[in-house]
Amino acid sequence: MKKPVNIAVFASGSGTNCENLIRYFAQSEVARVALVVSNKHDAPVLERASRLGVPSAVVIKAELQKPEVVMPLMESHQIGFVVLAGFLPLIPNYLIDAFPQRMVNIHPSLLPKYGGKGMWGHHVHEAVKAAGDTETGMTVHWVTPQCDAGDIIAQFRVGIAPTDTPDDIAAKEHQLEMEHFPKVVESLVEMI
């Protein structure tokens, strides 16, 4: 029987997607979250990882650019797949090259709409509201050197009402993430 693939989750914020992934893969024979990486010392995701017994590391933006800092961390945890779940810094080329077709990102819109620099979290939901869109959704895509430009793997949609606020839109989109993101990751890891 194949050994479960070790996943590293990179996150900058609260970590709800990270926690969802940890819980989803806790009893899995396919994969497990073996490491959580954040670029912020005070990111709530670190507390979530600790509470769930998953090792974590803080790699500040300047250190992220150094293969001699990041690669030993990946190797020591035998990482085979990387998931970006609300990780804000751009991933350097050396790290993308180290995980070809094994690094994905989740984005809170239906890319290519509302992607790119500065388009994360609430900024995305405010843009969706301002545009008067009748639906929104989430996208899982491969990570490339260009922000939010990798090939789309999966998208899930939800309708939004004219009366929905950016917070309402965020809640609807987040529900899609909770429901679908772990399953998409699992299907990709199964192909390794």
Side-chain angles (χ1 to χ4, degrees), residues 53-97:
V54 176
S56 63
V58 175
V59 178
I60 60 170
K61 196 173 175 183
E63 292 172 331
L64 187 63
Q65 303 305 317
K66 300 176 180 175
E68 65 274 17
V69 172
V70 178
M71 291 315 293
L73 185 61
M74 299 288 108
E75 289 157 12
S76 70
H77 292 276
Q78 300 177 316
I79 300 303
F81 198 88
V82 177
V83 175
L84 308 184
F87 190 70
L88 298 182
L90 205 57
I91 299 296
N93 289 352
Y94 78 84
L95 195 51
I96 295 168
D97 293 344

Side-chain angles (χ1 to χ4, degrees), residues 81-169:
F81 198 88
V82 177
V83 175
L84 308 184
F87 190 70
L88 298 182
L90 205 57
I91 299 296
N93 289 352
Y94 78 84
L95 195 51
I96 295 168
D97 293 344
F99 293 92
Q101 298 292 286
R102 290 184 292 133
M103 183 182 295
V104 297
N105 181 45
I106 187 170
H107 187 78
S109 77
L110 296 169
L111 289 175
K113 282 181 146 187
Y114 315 112
K117 191 170 172 58
M119 293 306 285
W120 54 272
H122 220 262
H123 303 288
V124 172
H125 306 306
E126 288 169 354
V128 168
K129 174 67 177 174
D133 288 358
T134 57
E135 68 174 2
T136 191
M138 60 164 275
T139 302
V140 181
H141 66 90
W142 295 112
V143 176
T144 64
Q146 294 77 39
C147 185
D148 297 331
D151 288 346
I152 292 169
I153 299 162
Q155 288 187 316
F156 300 92
R157 300 167 185 269
V158 64
I160 48 179
T163 53
D164 283 345
T165 66
D167 285 342
D168 296 332
I169 294 168

Side-chain angles (χ1 to χ4, degrees), residues 9-19 36-49 85-89 120:
V9 178
F10 284 51
S12 297
S14 72
T16 55
N17 271 303
C18 180
E19 179 170 342
V36 173
V37 177
S38 184
N39 61 310
K40 298 179 176 179
H41 290 279
D42 60 348
V45 69
L46 297 170
E47 194 279 321
R48 287 180 193 267
F87 190 70
L88 298 182
W120 54 272

